[in-house]
Amino acid sequence: MLKRYAPDCAELGCLVVSPRYRKEGRGDSMLSFLERTAISAGVTRLFALSTRTMQWFCERGFREVPMSELPEGRQKMINVRRGSKVFMKSIQSSRALDAEELFWSTAEDTSS
């Protein structure tokens, strides 16, 4: 799910893969679709909050940022007791995403 908080900024939320379907690339496929949808809508900054999958986001080009980098409207809604970390990614074009995905696919293929 994407939720826009500014003309150029949206949150990626509720991205979950059932345990029985993990390790099949489904999370990557959903992320790819949502990133391209965001680009088509003019979004250039995509962020996610996570308490568990920090490495997964970092491996896909997100970087951990302070809460202060979130749009003001989203900052006001954060429950700090949850301990969520904020991950942000700049997205510029579908072509750049294609290159990024090719890089990750190649890296995964050589490690097997």
Short mmCIF file of all heavy atoms in Angstrom, two decimals, residues 10-13 46-50 57 62-63 65 70 84-89:
data_model
loop_
_atom_site.label_atom_id
_atom_site.label_comp_id
_atom_site.label_asym_id
_atom_site.label_seq_id
_atom_site.Cartn_x
_atom_site.Cartn_y
_atom_site.Cartn_z
N ALA A 10 5.89 9.41 -0.35
CA ALA A 10 4.85 8.46 0.02
C ALA A 10 5.41 7.39 0.95
O ALA A 10 6.60 7.09 0.93
CB ALA A 10 4.25 7.80 -1.22
N GLU A 11 4.52 6.82 1.73
CA GLU A 11 4.88 5.74 2.64
C GLU A 11 4.51 4.40 2.02
O GLU A 11 3.42 4.22 1.47
CB GLU A 11 4.16 5.89 3.98
CG GLU A 11 4.49 4.78 4.96
CD GLU A 11 3.86 4.97 6.32
OE1 GLU A 11 2.99 5.86 6.47
OE2 GLU A 11 4.23 4.22 7.25
N LEU A 12 5.42 3.46 2.14
CA LEU A 12 5.18 2.08 1.77
C LEU A 12 4.76 1.37 3.05
O LEU A 12 5.53 1.30 4.00
CB LEU A 12 6.47 1.48 1.21
CG LEU A 12 6.55 -0.02 1.04
CD1 LEU A 12 5.56 -0.46 -0.03
CD2 LEU A 12 7.95 -0.42 0.66
N GLY A 13 3.53 0.91 3.09
CA GLY A 13 3.04 0.27 4.31
C GLY A 13 2.40 -1.07 4.03
O GLY A 13 1.99 -1.37 2.91
N LEU A 46 10.40 7.54 -1.16
CA LEU A 46 9.55 6.49 -0.63
C LEU A 46 10.11 6.11 0.73
O LEU A 46 11.32 5.95 0.90
CB LEU A 46 9.61 5.29 -1.58
CG LEU A 46 8.60 4.17 -1.42
CD1 LEU A 46 7.18 4.68 -1.56
CD2 LEU A 46 8.88 3.09 -2.45
N PHE A 47 9.24 5.99 1.74
CA PHE A 47 9.73 5.60 3.06
C PHE A 47 8.88 4.48 3.64
O PHE A 47 7.75 4.24 3.23
CB PHE A 47 9.78 6.80 4.02
CG PHE A 47 8.45 7.33 4.46
CD1 PHE A 47 7.83 6.84 5.61
CD2 PHE A 47 7.81 8.33 3.75
CE1 PHE A 47 6.61 7.33 6.03
CE2 PHE A 47 6.58 8.83 4.16
CZ PHE A 47 5.98 8.33 5.31
N ALA A 48 9.50 3.77 4.59
CA ALA A 48 8.83 2.68 5.29
C ALA A 48 9.25 2.72 6.74
O ALA A 48 10.39 3.09 7.06
CB ALA A 48 9.20 1.34 4.68
N LEU A 49 8.35 2.33 7.62
CA LEU A 49 8.66 2.16 9.03
C LEU A 49 8.69 0.67 9.30
O LEU A 49 7.83 -0.07 8.81
CB LEU A 49 7.59 2.82 9.91
CG LEU A 49 7.76 4.32 10.15
CD1 LEU A 49 7.64 5.11 8.89
CD2 LEU A 49 6.77 4.78 11.18
N SER A 50 9.68 0.24 10.08
CA SER A 50 9.79 -1.19 10.34
C SER A 50 10.37 -1.43 11.73
O SER A 50 11.23 -0.69 12.18
CB SER A 50 10.68 -1.85 9.29
OG SER A 50 10.76 -3.24 9.53
N PHE A 57 15.09 -3.98 3.87
CA PHE A 57 14.96 -2.67 3.24
C PHE A 57 16.33 -2.13 2.82
O PHE A 57 16.48 -1.59 1.73
CB PHE A 57 14.24 -1.69 4.17
CG PHE A 57 12.76 -1.92 4.22
CD1 PHE A 57 12.17 -2.46 5.35
CD2 PHE A 57 11.95 -1.60 3.15
CE1 PHE A 57 10.79 -2.68 5.39
CE2 PHE A 57 10.59 -1.82 3.17
CZ PHE A 57 10.01 -2.36 4.31
N PHE A 62 17.11 1.20 0.48
CA PHE A 62 16.61 2.12 1.49
C PHE A 62 17.75 2.41 2.47
O PHE A 62 18.63 1.58 2.68
CB PHE A 62 15.43 1.51 2.27
CG PHE A 62 14.15 1.45 1.50
CD1 PHE A 62 13.95 0.45 0.56
CD2 PHE A 62 13.14 2.36 1.72
CE1 PHE A 62 12.76 0.36 -0.16
CE2 PHE A 62 11.94 2.29 1.02
CZ PHE A 62 11.76 1.29 0.08
N ARG A 63 17.72 3.58 3.08
CA ARG A 63 18.70 3.90 4.11
C ARG A 63 17.96 4.37 5.35
O ARG A 63 16.90 4.98 5.26
CB ARG A 63 19.69 4.94 3.63
CG ARG A 63 19.09 6.26 3.25
CD ARG A 63 20.13 7.25 2.73
NE ARG A 63 19.53 8.43 2.16
CZ ARG A 63 18.84 9.37 2.80
NH1 ARG A 63 18.65 9.28 4.09
NH2 ARG A 63 18.34 10.41 2.17
N VAL A 65 16.99 6.65 8.27
CA VAL A 65 17.02 8.10 8.44
C VAL A 65 16.32 8.45 9.75
O VAL A 65 15.52 7.66 10.28
CB VAL A 65 16.33 8.84 7.27
CG1 VAL A 65 17.05 8.57 5.96
CG2 VAL A 65 14.87 8.49 7.17
N LEU A 70 10.83 12.56 7.94
CA LEU A 70 9.48 12.24 7.48
C LEU A 70 8.67 13.51 7.28
O LEU A 70 8.93 14.52 7.95
CB LEU A 70 8.77 11.36 8.50
CG LEU A 70 9.30 9.95 8.68
CD1 LEU A 70 8.52 9.24 9.79
CD2 LEU A 70 9.20 9.17 7.40
N SER A 84 9.82 1.79 15.99
CA SER A 84 10.02 1.68 14.55
C SER A 84 11.23 2.47 14.09
O SER A 84 11.53 3.54 14.62
CB SER A 84 8.79 2.20 13.80
OG SER A 84 7.67 1.41 14.06
N LYS A 85 11.90 1.93 13.10
CA LYS A 85 12.98 2.65 12.43
C LYS A 85 12.43 3.12 11.09
O LYS A 85 11.55 2.50 10.51
CB LYS A 85 14.17 1.73 12.23
CG LYS A 85 14.70 1.21 13.54
CD LYS A 85 16.17 0.99 13.47
CE LYS A 85 16.62 0.44 14.80
NZ LYS A 85 17.61 1.23 15.41
N VAL A 86 12.96 4.24 10.62
CA VAL A 86 12.51 4.84 9.37
C VAL A 86 13.54 4.56 8.29
O VAL A 86 14.73 4.78 8.48
CB VAL A 86 12.32 6.36 9.52
CG1 VAL A 86 11.86 6.98 8.20
CG2 VAL A 86 11.36 6.68 10.64
N PHE A 87 13.05 4.08 7.14
CA PHE A 87 13.90 3.81 5.99
C PHE A 87 13.38 4.59 4.80
O PHE A 87 12.18 4.58 4.52
CB PHE A 87 13.92 2.30 5.69
CG PHE A 87 14.53 1.52 6.81
CD1 PHE A 87 13.76 1.05 7.84
CD2 PHE A 87 15.90 1.32 6.85
CE1 PHE A 87 14.32 0.37 8.91
CE2 PHE A 87 16.48 0.64 7.91
CZ PHE A 87 15.68 0.15 8.94
N MET A 88 14.28 5.28 4.12
CA MET A 88 13.90 6.15 3.01
C MET A 88 14.69 5.73 1.77
O MET A 88 15.84 5.31 1.86
CB MET A 88 14.23 7.61 3.37
CG MET A 88 13.86 8.64 2.35
SD MET A 88 12.20 9.33 2.49
CE MET A 88 12.15 10.03 4.10
N LYS A 89 14.04 5.87 0.63
CA LYS A 89 14.69 5.57 -0.65
C LYS A 89 14.32 6.63 -1.66
O LYS A 89 13.15 6.99 -1.79
CB LYS A 89 14.24 4.20 -1.15
CG LYS A 89 14.88 3.78 -2.47
CD LYS A 89 14.46 2.37 -2.85
CE LYS A 89 15.17 1.90 -4.09
NZ LYS A 89 14.80 0.51 -4.43
#
